[in-house]
Protein backbone atom coordinates (compact mmCIF):
# COMPACT_ATOMS: atom_id res chain seq x y z
CA UNK A 1 0.00 0.00 0.00
CA UNK A 2 2.74 2.44 0.93
CA UNK A 3 4.25 2.36 -2.60
CA UNK A 4 1.02 3.62 -4.14
CA UNK A 5 0.41 6.17 -1.40
CA UNK A 6 3.81 7.70 -2.07
CA UNK A 7 2.43 8.93 -5.40
CA UNK A 8 -0.10 11.11 -3.59
CA UNK A 9 1.98 12.67 -0.82
CA UNK A 10 2.05 16.46 -0.81
CA UNK A 11 5.17 18.15 -2.22
CA UNK A 12 7.76 19.00 0.45
CA UNK A 13 5.78 17.27 3.18
CA UNK A 14 7.71 17.66 6.45
CA UNK A 15 10.22 20.05 4.93
CA UNK A 16 11.74 22.93 6.89
CA UNK A 17 10.56 25.11 4.02
CA UNK A 18 7.02 24.32 5.05
CA UNK A 19 4.96 27.15 6.45
CA UNK A 20 4.57 27.25 10.21
CA UNK A 21 0.89 27.97 9.70
CA UNK A 22 -1.49 25.07 10.18
CA UNK A 23 -4.71 24.86 8.21
CA UNK A 24 -6.81 26.83 10.71
CA UNK A 25 -4.16 29.54 10.92
CA UNK A 26 -3.94 29.73 7.13
CA UNK A 27 -7.67 30.46 6.97
CA UNK A 28 -7.56 32.87 9.93
CA UNK A 29 -4.69 34.78 8.28
CA UNK A 30 -6.73 35.30 5.10
CA UNK A 31 -4.19 33.52 2.91
CA UNK A 32 -6.87 33.10 0.22
CA UNK A 33 -7.58 35.48 -2.65
CA UNK A 34 -11.18 34.52 -3.34
CA UNK A 35 -14.10 32.61 -1.81
CA UNK A 36 -16.87 30.96 -3.80
CA UNK A 37 -19.75 28.72 -2.74
CA UNK A 38 -20.20 26.01 -5.37
CA UNK A 39 -23.16 23.80 -4.50
CA UNK A 40 -22.58 23.06 -0.82
CA UNK A 41 -18.79 23.32 -1.05
CA UNK A 42 -16.67 26.35 -0.27
CA UNK A 43 -13.74 27.03 -2.63
CA UNK A 44 -10.92 29.16 -1.17
CA UNK A 45 -8.31 30.10 -3.76
CA UNK A 46 -4.76 30.16 -2.36
CA UNK A 47 -2.40 33.08 -2.89
CA UNK A 48 0.44 30.56 -2.93
CA UNK A 49 0.20 26.93 -4.01
CA UNK A 50 3.25 25.88 -2.00
CA UNK A 51 2.02 27.72 1.10
CA UNK A 52 -1.32 25.90 1.02
CA UNK A 53 0.41 22.54 0.63
CA UNK A 54 2.68 23.39 3.55
CA UNK A 55 -0.20 24.08 5.95
CA UNK A 56 -0.89 20.33 6.08
CA UNK A 57 2.57 19.54 7.51
CA UNK A 58 1.97 20.66 11.15
CA UNK A 59 -1.15 18.52 11.53
CA UNK A 60 0.44 15.60 9.70
CA UNK A 61 3.42 15.70 12.06
CA UNK A 62 1.41 15.91 15.29
CA UNK A 63 -0.91 13.08 14.26
CA UNK A 64 1.88 10.88 12.92
CA UNK A 65 4.06 11.26 16.01
CA UNK A 66 1.15 10.84 18.44
CA UNK A 67 0.19 7.60 16.69
CA UNK A 68 3.69 6.22 17.20
CA UNK A 69 3.82 7.34 20.83
CA UNK A 70 0.40 5.88 21.62
CA UNK A 71 1.18 2.53 19.98
CA UNK A 72 4.47 2.30 21.90
CA UNK A 73 2.76 3.07 25.22
CA UNK A 74 0.17 0.34 24.66
CA UNK A 75 2.91 -2.25 24.44
CA UNK A 76 4.68 -0.92 27.51
CA UNK A 77 1.50 -1.04 29.62
CA UNK A 78 0.87 -4.66 28.69
CA UNK A 79 4.46 -5.57 29.50
CA UNK A 80 4.77 -3.65 32.77
CA UNK A 81 1.24 -3.78 34.21
CA UNK A 82 -0.46 -6.82 32.66
CA UNK A 83 -3.24 -4.38 31.78
CA UNK A 84 -5.53 -4.87 28.78
CA UNK A 85 -8.30 -2.24 28.91
CA UNK A 86 -6.19 0.86 28.43
CA UNK A 87 -3.72 -0.80 26.03
CA UNK A 88 -6.58 -1.82 23.74
CA UNK A 89 -7.92 1.73 23.77
CA UNK A 90 -4.44 3.09 23.12
CA UNK A 91 -4.11 0.77 20.14
CA UNK A 92 -7.39 2.15 18.84
CA UNK A 93 -6.18 5.73 19.24
CA UNK A 94 -2.88 4.94 17.56
CA UNK A 95 -4.96 3.90 14.54
CA UNK A 96 -7.24 6.93 14.84
CA UNK A 97 -4.24 9.28 14.83
CA UNK A 98 -2.59 7.30 12.02
CA UNK A 99 -5.64 7.65 9.78
CA UNK A 100 -5.71 11.40 10.41
CA UNK A 101 -1.99 11.59 9.55
CA UNK A 102 -2.53 9.69 6.32
CA UNK A 103 -5.28 11.99 5.12
CA UNK A 104 -3.24 15.11 5.96
CA UNK A 105 -0.18 13.72 4.16
CA UNK A 106 -2.19 13.56 0.94
CA UNK A 107 -3.80 17.00 1.25
CA UNK A 108 -7.09 15.89 2.75
CA UNK A 109 -8.69 15.78 6.18
CA UNK A 110 -11.73 15.91 8.38
CA UNK A 111 -11.68 19.03 10.56
CA UNK A 112 -13.85 21.03 12.88
CA UNK A 113 -13.64 24.67 11.83
CA UNK A 114 -13.30 26.96 14.82
CA UNK A 115 -14.98 30.33 15.20
CA UNK A 116 -11.87 32.33 14.26
CA UNK A 117 -11.49 30.53 10.93
CA UNK A 118 -15.18 30.93 10.17
CA UNK A 119 -15.09 34.63 11.06
CA UNK A 120 -12.13 35.24 8.74
CA UNK A 121 -14.01 33.77 5.79
CA UNK A 122 -17.29 35.53 6.59
CA UNK A 123 -15.55 38.90 7.11
CA UNK A 124 -13.94 38.50 3.66
CA UNK A 125 -17.34 37.72 2.10
CA UNK A 126 -18.97 40.69 3.85
CA UNK A 127 -16.32 43.13 2.61
CA UNK A 128 -17.09 42.06 -0.96
CA UNK A 129 -20.82 42.46 -0.34
CA UNK A 130 -21.68 38.77 -0.45
CA UNK A 131 -24.63 37.16 1.30
CA UNK A 132 -23.34 33.62 1.84
CA UNK A 133 -22.33 32.61 5.36
CA UNK A 134 -19.90 29.87 6.36
CA UNK A 135 -20.96 28.04 9.53
CA UNK A 136 -18.84 26.46 12.24
CA UNK A 137 -18.79 22.67 12.32
CA UNK A 138 -17.26 19.60 10.72
CA UNK A 139 -15.87 19.78 7.19
CA UNK A 140 -14.17 17.47 4.74
CA UNK A 141 -11.19 19.38 3.38
CA UNK A 142 -9.17 18.75 0.24
CA UNK A 143 -6.88 20.50 -2.20
CA UNK A 144 -8.08 20.88 -5.77
CA UNK A 145 -6.04 22.18 -8.69
CA UNK A 146 -7.96 24.14 -11.30
CA UNK A 147 -6.87 25.96 -14.42
CA UNK A 148 -7.06 29.26 -12.52
CA UNK A 149 -5.15 28.20 -9.41
CA UNK A 150 -5.11 25.92 -6.38
CA UNK A 151 -8.09 25.82 -4.03
CA UNK A 152 -8.88 24.58 -0.55
CA UNK A 153 -12.27 22.86 -0.70
CA UNK A 154 -14.49 22.82 2.40
CA UNK A 155 -17.41 20.41 2.22
CA UNK A 156 -19.84 20.20 5.17
CA UNK A 157 -19.83 16.80 6.88
CA UNK A 158 -22.95 15.52 8.56
CA UNK A 159 -22.57 11.73 8.27
CA UNK A 160 -22.36 9.44 11.28
CA UNK A 161 -23.08 9.71 14.96
CA UNK A 162 -20.35 11.25 17.06
CA UNK A 163 -16.79 12.33 16.26
CA UNK A 164 -15.29 8.86 15.86
CA UNK A 165 -18.10 7.24 13.89
CA UNK A 166 -18.19 10.26 11.59
CA UNK A 167 -14.45 10.22 11.04
CA UNK A 168 -14.29 6.53 10.14
CA UNK A 169 -17.12 6.98 7.64
CA UNK A 170 -15.14 9.83 6.12
CA UNK A 171 -11.93 7.76 6.11
CA UNK A 172 -13.70 4.86 4.37
CA UNK A 173 -14.93 7.20 1.64
CA UNK A 174 -11.40 8.63 1.41
CA UNK A 175 -10.02 5.13 0.79
CA UNK A 176 -12.54 4.60 -2.01
CA UNK A 177 -11.64 7.93 -3.58
CA UNK A 178 -7.87 7.45 -3.51
CA UNK A 179 -8.24 3.88 -4.87
CA UNK A 180 -10.33 5.22 -7.75
CA UNK A 181 -7.68 7.88 -8.39
CA UNK A 182 -4.96 5.20 -8.56
CA UNK A 183 -7.00 3.31 -11.17
CA UNK A 184 -7.70 6.48 -13.18
CA UNK A 185 -3.98 7.31 -13.09
CA UNK A 186 -3.20 3.79 -14.37
CA UNK A 187 -0.59 3.19 -11.68
CA UNK A 188 1.14 -0.21 -12.00
CA UNK A 189 0.17 -1.02 -8.40
CA UNK A 190 -3.46 0.09 -8.81
CA UNK A 191 -5.04 -3.38 -8.70
CA UNK A 192 -3.25 -4.40 -5.50
CA UNK A 193 -3.97 -1.00 -3.98
CA UNK A 194 -7.70 -1.40 -4.65
CA UNK A 195 -7.60 -4.82 -2.98
CA UNK A 196 -5.69 -3.47 0.04
CA UNK A 197 -7.92 -0.43 0.55
CA UNK A 198 -11.01 -2.65 0.21
CA UNK A 199 -9.69 -5.02 2.89
CA UNK A 200 -8.89 -2.10 5.19
CA UNK A 201 -12.29 -0.50 4.67
CA UNK A 202 -14.07 -3.80 5.31
CA UNK A 203 -12.15 -4.40 8.52
CA UNK A 204 -13.12 -0.94 9.76
CA UNK A 205 -16.81 -1.30 8.98
CA UNK A 206 -18.09 -4.87 8.67
CA UNK A 207 -20.34 -6.69 11.16
CA UNK A 208 -21.56 -3.83 13.29
CA UNK A 209 -25.13 -3.29 14.40
CA UNK A 210 -24.41 0.19 15.74
CA UNK A 211 -22.55 2.32 13.20
CA UNK A 212 -18.92 1.79 12.20
CA UNK A 213 -17.49 -1.36 13.80
CA UNK A 214 -14.15 0.19 14.77
CA UNK A 215 -15.84 3.04 16.63
CA UNK A 216 -18.40 0.68 18.17
CA UNK A 217 -15.75 -1.67 19.62
CA UNK A 218 -14.01 1.30 21.21
CA UNK A 219 -17.28 2.35 22.83
CA UNK A 220 -17.93 -1.18 24.08
CA UNK A 221 -14.56 -1.33 25.83
CA UNK A 222 -14.36 2.25 27.02
CA UNK A 223 -17.91 3.02 28.13
CA UNK A 224 -19.65 -0.32 28.74
CA UNK A 225 -16.57 -2.24 29.95
CA UNK A 226 -17.36 -5.24 27.79
CA UNK A 227 -15.04 -8.16 26.90
CA UNK A 228 -13.72 -8.49 30.47
CA UNK A 229 -10.83 -6.14 29.64
CA UNK A 230 -10.50 -4.25 32.90
CA UNK A 231 -8.58 -5.29 36.00
CA UNK A 232 -9.04 -7.16 38.19
CA UNK A 233 -10.05 -9.87 35.75
CA UNK A 234 -9.43 -13.59 35.86
CA UNK A 235 -5.92 -14.62 34.89
CA UNK A 236 -7.48 -17.12 32.49
CA UNK A 237 -9.72 -14.55 30.83
CA UNK A 238 -9.22 -14.06 27.12
CA UNK A 239 -7.98 -10.44 27.30
CA UNK A 240 -5.22 -11.44 29.74
CA UNK A 241 -3.95 -13.97 27.19
CA UNK A 242 -4.08 -11.82 24.09
CA UNK A 243 -0.93 -11.52 22.02
CA UNK A 244 -0.16 -7.81 22.08
CA UNK A 245 2.55 -7.17 19.54
CA UNK A 246 4.58 -4.08 20.39
CA UNK A 247 6.32 -4.29 17.01
CA UNK A 248 5.32 -2.26 14.00
CA UNK A 249 5.43 -4.23 10.77
CA UNK A 250 5.49 -4.04 6.99
CA UNK A 251 1.95 -3.51 5.74
CA UNK A 252 2.80 -5.32 2.51
CA UNK A 253 2.89 -8.54 4.55
CA UNK A 254 0.01 -7.71 6.91
CA UNK A 255 -3.01 -7.63 4.60
CA UNK A 256 -4.23 -11.10 5.64
CA UNK A 257 -4.49 -9.93 9.25
CA UNK A 258 -7.33 -7.62 8.19
CA UNK A 259 -9.53 -10.64 7.42
CA UNK A 260 -10.09 -11.51 11.10
CA UNK A 261 -13.80 -11.53 11.95
CA UNK A 262 -14.27 -14.22 14.62
CA UNK A 263 -12.52 -12.54 17.56
CA UNK A 264 -13.31 -8.86 17.94
CA UNK A 265 -10.36 -8.06 20.20
CA UNK A 266 -7.86 -9.70 17.84
CA UNK A 267 -9.50 -7.82 14.99
CA UNK A 268 -9.02 -4.55 16.90
CA UNK A 269 -5.36 -5.39 17.53
CA UNK A 270 -4.73 -6.36 13.89
CA UNK A 271 -6.46 -3.31 12.45
CA UNK A 272 -4.77 -0.90 14.84
CA UNK A 273 -1.35 -2.43 14.25
CA UNK A 274 -1.86 -2.23 10.48
CA UNK A 275 -2.73 1.47 10.51
CA UNK A 276 -0.02 2.34 13.05
CA UNK A 277 2.50 0.46 10.90
CA UNK A 278 1.37 2.30 7.78
CA UNK A 279 1.84 5.55 9.69
CA UNK A 280 5.34 4.46 10.75
CA UNK A 281 6.28 3.68 7.16
CA UNK A 282 4.98 7.09 6.14
CA UNK A 283 7.13 8.78 8.80
CA UNK A 284 10.23 6.97 7.55
CA UNK A 285 9.39 7.95 3.97
CA UNK A 286 9.11 11.62 4.91
CA UNK A 287 12.27 11.48 7.01
CA UNK A 288 14.20 10.07 4.08
CA UNK A 289 12.78 12.77 1.81
CA UNK A 290 13.56 15.81 3.99
CA UNK A 291 16.97 14.64 5.28
CA UNK A 292 18.41 14.06 8.71
CA UNK A 293 18.92 17.71 9.65
CA UNK A 294 15.32 18.79 9.06
CA UNK A 295 13.25 19.76 12.08
CA UNK A 296 10.90 16.86 11.33
CA UNK A 297 13.76 14.36 11.47
CA UNK A 298 15.27 15.81 14.64
CA UNK A 299 11.92 15.61 16.46
CA UNK A 300 11.41 12.07 15.18
CA UNK A 301 14.77 11.00 16.60
CA UNK A 302 13.91 12.61 19.93
CA UNK A 303 10.58 10.78 20.04
CA UNK A 304 12.29 7.46 19.28
CA UNK A 305 14.79 8.05 22.07
CA UNK A 306 12.04 8.90 24.57
CA UNK A 307 9.95 5.85 23.70
CA UNK A 308 12.82 3.37 23.56
CA UNK A 309 12.55 0.67 26.28
CA UNK A 310 14.71 1.54 29.28
Amino acid sequence: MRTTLNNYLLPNLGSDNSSRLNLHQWIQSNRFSSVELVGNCWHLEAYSESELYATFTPDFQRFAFSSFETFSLAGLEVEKCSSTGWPLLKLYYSAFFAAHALTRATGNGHVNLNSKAVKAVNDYIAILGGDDVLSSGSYKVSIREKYSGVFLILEPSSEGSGVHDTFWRYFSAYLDAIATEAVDDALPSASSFVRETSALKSCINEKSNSGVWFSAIRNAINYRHEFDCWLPNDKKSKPRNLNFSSQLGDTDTMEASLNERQDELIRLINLSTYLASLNHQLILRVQGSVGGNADFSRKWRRLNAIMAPK
Side-chain angles (χ1 to χ4, degrees):
M1 177 177 282
R2 69 179 187 276
T3 302
T4 306
L5 283 174
N6 288 342
N7 291 278
Y8 298 107
L9 299 184
L10 290 173
N12 299 316
L13 181 67
S15 168
D16 282 350
N17 293 328
S18 295
S19 166
R20 296 303 175 188
L21 297 176
N22 63 31
L23 192 59
H24 277 90
Q25 292 166 339
W26 182 87
I27 298 174
Q28 292 168 28
S29 301
N30 293 100
R31 299 304 302 157
F32 47 88
S33 59
S34 68
V35 176
E36 183 180 8
L37 181 59
V38 181
N40 70 332
C41 297
W42 296 85
H43 293 221
L44 280 61
E45 184 174 6
Y47 279 117
S48 165
E49 173 182 337
S50 60
E51 184 183 62
L52 176 57
Y53 289 152
T55 61
F56 283 80
T57 283
D59 282 343
F60 159 70
Q61 179 175 298
R62 70 181 177 89
F63 279 123
F65 288 1
S66 61
S67 171
F68 177 79
E69 176 188 348
T70 308
F71 183 88
S72 301
L73 283 173
L76 290 172
E77 286 188 4
V78 172
E79 178 184 344
K80 303 295 184 182
C81 306
S82 299
S83 177
T84 52
W86 282 120
L88 284 169
L89 291 173
K90 283 185 169 64
L91 284 181
Y92 168 87
Y93 275 99
S94 73
F96 183 70
F97 295 148
H100 273 288
L102 173 58
T103 60
R104 296 304 203 281
T106 55
N108 296 273
H110 193 273
V111 304
N112 188 59
L113 284 187
N114 60 34
S115 58
K116 291 182 180 179
V118 168
K119 184 177 185 302
V121 174
N122 287 333
D123 286 349
Y124 179 92
I125 295 171
I127 289 174
L128 297 180
D131 297 324
D132 297 318
V133 177
L134 176 68
S135 301
S136 298
S138 296
Y139 286 84
K140 294 175 276 190
V141 302
S142 59
I143 293 176
R144 187 177 303 171
E145 297 180 3
K146 301 182 184 180
Y147 68 91
S148 58
V150 176
F151 292 75
L152 177 69
I153 310 299
L154 303 174
E155 179 183 354
S157 175
S158 57
E159 303 90 346
S161 174
V163 172
H164 289 259
D165 185 85
T166 298
F167 173 76
W168 290 116
R169 291 174 190 271
Y170 159 76
F171 186 69
S172 297
Y174 163 83
L175 291 174
D176 283 341
I178 199 168
T180 299
E181 192 170 355
V183 171
D184 292 343
D185 292 341
L187 297 181
S189 57
S191 60
S192 62
F193 187 66
V194 169
R195 186 191 68 244
E196 290 163 339
T197 54
S198 178
L200 179 55
K201 177 184 171 184
S202 295
C203 194
I204 290 169
N205 290 283
E206 277 184 2
K207 288 192 174 181
S208 174
N209 297 321
S210 55
V212 175
W213 176 85
F214 204 18
S215 178
I217 190 72
R218 162 192 170 264
N219 293 340
I221 295 170
N222 193 31
Y223 300 120
R224 297 191 297 276
H225 289 198
E226 295 179 7
F227 301 101
D228 196 25
C229 294
W230 298 94
L231 298 176
N233 51 12
D234 193 294
K235 290 184 178 180
K236 295 182 180 180
S237 68
K238 193 164 190 177
R240 290 283 290 271
N241 293 283
L242 284 172
N243 180 23
F244 276 80
S245 173
S246 59
Q247 298 298 315
L248 295 162
D250 181 353
T251 53
D252 288 345
T253 65
M254 298 169 66
E255 184 182 343
S257 70
L258 299 176
N259 295 327
E260 174 63 46
R261 293 295 184 275
Q262 297 303 313
D263 190 304
E264 294 197 275
L265 296 184
I266 293 176
R267 179 179 174 184
L268 183 153
I269 292 171
N270 290 354
L271 176 54
S272 299
T273 302
Y274 184 94
L275 283 168
S277 296
L278 185 60
N279 175 73
H280 183 238
Q281 292 173 323
L282 185 55
I283 290 173
L284 296 180
R285 168 69 169 76
V286 172
Q287 181 190 30
S289 175
V290 301
N293 291 324
D295 182 67
F296 179 91
S297 298
R298 292 195 300 271
K299 288 180 177 178
W300 170 237
R301 288 195 297 270
R302 283 175 54 203
L303 178 58
N304 264 289
I306 293 169
M307 300 310 302
K310 302 298 189 287

